[in-house]
Amino acid sequence: MDTFFRYYFIIVGGLFILTLIHKIFVSKKENILVEELVGDVCKWFYGMYPLRKSYPRVVFSNKKSDFDGIYEFHINTVTLYNKNLKSHSQTIEVILHELTHWYLIRSEKMSCEYDEQLNEYGYENHPQEIWCRAVAAEFTKHYMKQKL
């Protein structure tokens, strides 16, 4: 009977220690603050795709919106709508989508062209939106592979 309890406590103790180690590594990924995550994604993007242009301000909003995020050229700001962001992977993809707009729209003329195309094609079929969605999806895969 002593042998049984010895092995029982060794196995249970080992499983307990493995569970603690697993929680330490998993909790770092799952409990990261959204602000930290977005900051890290921005830093990664700016390092991978440098541009001589001032970085956009990133704002988190609790307002209701039909969009997950928007980039506003005139005030050089990306706004992320917290209520619409349900996961870290979605947040990563949205910030990368908006940073792609920031990267593409470099002048007042380009901003006006975006608006004209929005009137002509609508949001879903807008050439820049199609491109930004595709680029953001691909960048998200690369970011998650490298960082998470």
Side-chain angles (χ1 to χ4, degrees):
M1 200 57 121
D2 286 336
T3 305
F4 171 77
F5 285 112
R6 181 182 313 158
Y7 288 119
Y8 175 79
F9 286 116
I10 288 172
I11 292 170
V12 170
L15 289 173
F16 178 74
I17 290 170
L18 288 174
T19 303
L20 285 177
I21 291 170
H22 177 64
K23 283 185 178 182
I24 288 169
F25 288 112
V26 170
S27 66
K28 285 184 181 176
K29 292 179 184 174
E30 292 177 357
N31 291 332
I32 187 169
L33 293 173
V34 174
E35 291 84 354
E36 291 176 14
L37 177 65
V38 168
D40 190 60
V41 172
C42 289
K43 183 179 173 184
W44 178 84
F45 184 90
Y46 304 145
M48 296 292 283
Y49 304 96
L51 187 63
R52 285 188 173 185
K53 180 177 170 180
S54 62
Y55 299 144
R57 195 174 116 214
V58 178
V59 176
F60 297 92
S61 175
N62 289 320
K63 293 179 181 176
K64 189 175 182 178
S65 174
D66 293 333
F67 301 103
D68 296 339
I70 57 169
Y71 171 65
E72 296 173 272
F73 170 77
H74 299 293
I75 56 175
N76 197 28
T77 301
V78 170
T79 303
L80 300 176
Y81 294 98
N82 293 330
K83 293 179 181 180
N84 298 346
L85 302 174
K86 306 296 183 206
S87 67
H88 284 340
S89 59
Q90 181 189 12
T91 302
I92 292 166
E93 192 160 342
V94 170
I95 189 64
L96 288 170
H97 176 101
E98 299 310 329
L99 289 174
T100 304
H101 281 299
W102 166 79
Y103 195 83
L104 293 173
I105 302 173
R106 300 180 188 197
S107 67
E108 179 69 32
K109 181 181 179 214
M110 293 172 121
S111 180
C112 290
E113 286 172 358
Y114 175 90
D115 292 338
E116 289 169 9
Q117 288 180 327
L118 186 62
N119 291 331
E120 185 176 343
Y121 298 105
Y123 178 77
E124 288 300 319
N125 296 315
H126 190 291
Q128 192 176 115
E129 291 299 334
I130 293 168
W131 198 79
C132 287
R133 283 191 291 270
V135 168
E138 193 62 31
F139 284 177
T140 298
K141 290 179 204 170
H142 288 281
Y143 175 84
M144 291 178 77
K145 190 181 218 182
Q146 290 177 15
K147 296 289 194 163
L148 301 180

